[in-house]
Amino acid sequence: MSATSVTPQTLAIDGGSPVRDTFLPYGRQSIDESDITAVTDALRSDWLTTGPKVGEFEEAFAARVGAKFAVSFSSGTSALHAAAFAAGLKSGDEAITTPMTFAATANCILYQAATPVFTDVQADTLNLDPGHLESKITPNTRAILPVDYAGHPAELEQILAIADRHGLIVIEDACHALGAEHRDRPVGSLADMTVFSFHPVKHITTGEGGLVATNSAKFAEILRRFRNHGICSDARQRQANDHWHYEMVLLGYNYRLPDLACALGLSQLQKLDRNLQRRRDIAARYTAAFRAMDAVIPPTVRPGVNPAWHLYPIRLDLSRLRAERAQIFRALRRENIGVNVHYIPVHLHPYYRERFGYTGGEFPVAEDAYQRLISLPMFHGMSDQDVEDVIHAVEKVVNHYRK
Ligand SMILES: *Cc1c(COP(=O)(O)O)cnc(C)c1O
């Protein structure tokens, strides 16, 4: 290509200038001075791991999501494992979940030696379709694990009603949905147990971290024991009571979230509402821009739902494009836009194919969506210019490949 043929419309992948000079990731944390002070204060205190910040963080979090109890964990994945344990999942049991998620949602079922049973998703929200649930329930079914994909709450009312009829426990994977609401009720107050993650790309971070919210005192007690080797009382209580005795009553793990991390979590929690508002504003700006583009399908929001916008996944209308998703993805990356894909459906991963014999074609709605999905950058620290750069890059690339 000669230099004179390069125009502002020439894609970076074809030798043009990228829309921006620096790479914009799809998600990242925001840490301010008050977060740093909270952590350094904790470092100077008597407690690095289980100390007063753990309970303070858990109480503040429970209040924020409208749950009676909150039990913190070392990650969202260990929180999922603990919830699967507390639900009583064991060898021979089945648990129903969605393929349109991060592998950890299904893996936690396998950690308990139970069998994950996938069910297809709704075409609009890509959340577990409650219409398929009843046909998947067998005498061995013990739990349902819906995921609030991208931060849009799953159909909790229907799922809970079905679970109730069949005596099943609902573990909601709300790792995308901290701060989301379903008919004016906060996610965290609805399911038997609701799981959150504090990974740096999520709404608030503790570095690594996770939590289970529940209204059940029984689940909360099991969860607390499970994260601490299956031991009944923690070191602080023993010291306060001048009491050497402890008992290990179940096979647990060391899944504790340290005081250091909880100090950061408490400080981050104060910024949750601001973070959510920023994500909602970015989503509104994106959706307004993409409504004008017929080859781009913005995410749907069902009535009565206030999503938390962990992700902003667009779907491409491939019938209007001369390129597959992979080409458009690569072109956007070359424009320095850190697009991603959420998710490769879990059953298509080699581990699940080999262990359970999946070949593809089992969950057509999820698999079709997967061919067309691209997650655009979405995080509360994005500037207005970052948002405009993303819109500009999507317009540039999609218009280039438009039929
Ligand atoms: C982030 C995430 C997890 C796991 O969280 P970690 O804290 O990274 O272990 C689980 N499920 C979903 C849907 C997630 O997005």
Side-chain angles (χ1 to χ4, degrees), residues 20-342:
R20 51 185 284 140
D21 295 332
T22 56
F23 186 75
L24 180 69
Y26 91 91
R28 65 160 288 154
Q29 73 278 10
S30 295
I31 297 290
D32 66 14
E33 284 305 316
S34 66
D35 296 321
I36 292 167
T37 304
V39 175
T40 52
D41 286 352
L43 280 168
R44 291 190 179 93
S45 79
D46 288 339
W47 301 96
L48 294 186
T49 186
T50 312
K53 294 294 174 200
V54 178
E56 278 178 50
F57 177 51
E58 290 173 340
E59 269 180 41
F61 194 96
R64 179 62 179 77
V65 301
K68 286 203 183 110
F69 307 97
V71 183
S72 59
F73 285 89
S74 53
S75 69
T77 302
S78 54
L80 279 166
H81 183 189
F85 176 86
L89 278 180
K90 60 182 187 314
S91 175
D93 288 344
E94 294 169 2
I96 304 173
T97 191
T98 160
M100 189 48 80
T101 186
F102 183 55
T105 318
N107 291 351
C108 77
I109 301 165
L110 293 176
Y111 294 158
Q112 285 303 113
T115 304
V117 174
F118 295 105
T119 186
D120 212 347
V121 295
Q122 297 167 323
D124 59 345
T125 60
L126 304 184
N127 281 330
L128 184 152
D129 189 338
H132 298 322
L133 264 181
E134 229 128 2
S135 71
K136 299 276 178 170
I137 294 172
T138 75
N140 296 325
T141 309
R142 181 174 285 268
I144 306 171
L145 288 87
V147 174
D148 304 319
Y149 176 76
H152 186 295
E155 291 300 313
L156 261 301
E157 276 167 14
Q158 284 181 57
I159 294 168
L160 287 166
I162 293 167
D164 207 42
R165 274 207 297 286
H166 295 269
L168 309 176
I169 291 169
V170 176
I171 302 169
E172 181 181 357
D173 181 340
C175 289
H176 295 184
L178 174 55
E181 289 159 341
H182 191 261
R183 306 198 196 291
D184 295 325
R185 292 172 68 194
V187 162
S189 66
L190 302 158
D192 295 301
M193 287 178 270
T194 308
V195 177
F196 298 94
S197 164
F198 308 128
H199 182 278
V201 297
K202 307 286 164 69
H203 296 77
I204 65 168
T205 190
T206 59
E208 298 280 0
L211 183 144
V212 182
T214 181
N215 286 324
S216 155
K218 183 183 122 234
F219 287 149
E221 182 181 46
I222 298 171
L223 292 165
R224 291 208 172 90
R225 289 176 180 177
F226 189 76
R227 77 169 169 196
N228 189 33
H229 310 280
I231 289 172
C232 293
S233 60
D234 71 23
R236 230 154 57 88
Q237 279 170 339
R238 289 200 300 278
Q239 187 172 312
N241 301 339
D242 194 21
H243 196 195
W244 56 268
H245 188 78
Y246 69 89
E247 286 174 339
M248 185 200 129
V249 294
L250 54 84
L251 185 61
Y253 293 78
N254 178 350
Y255 277 167
R256 298 182 304 254
L257 188 63
D259 237 46
L260 273 182
C262 290
L264 178 55
L266 266 170
S267 172
Q268 286 266 305
L269 195 56
Q270 292 176 13
K271 284 154 258 194
L272 174 60
D273 286 321
R274 219 162 66 210
N275 295 352
L276 280 165
Q277 191 52 53
R278 180 65 185 149
R279 285 171 182 266
R280 286 171 180 150
D281 290 347
I282 294 168
R285 175 73 190 105
Y286 276 164
T287 299
F290 300 137
R291 282 248 163 78
M293 299 180 66
D294 62 2
V296 170
I297 302 157
T300 317
V301 178
R302 288 200 170 192
V305 162
N306 193 5
W309 297 108
H310 165 57
L311 301 173
Y312 190 92
I314 56 168
R315 268 176 275 181
L316 300 172
D317 182 347
L318 295 174
S319 71
R320 296 177 191 273
L321 295 165
R322 291 182 288 110
E324 294 297 303
R325 184 263 313 274
Q327 179 69 14
I328 288 169
F329 181 95
R330 278 195 296 271
L332 285 166
R333 279 281 179 102
R334 292 290 287 275
E335 300 295 335
N336 273 327
I337 304 300
V339 287
N340 219 311
V341 172
H342 299 92

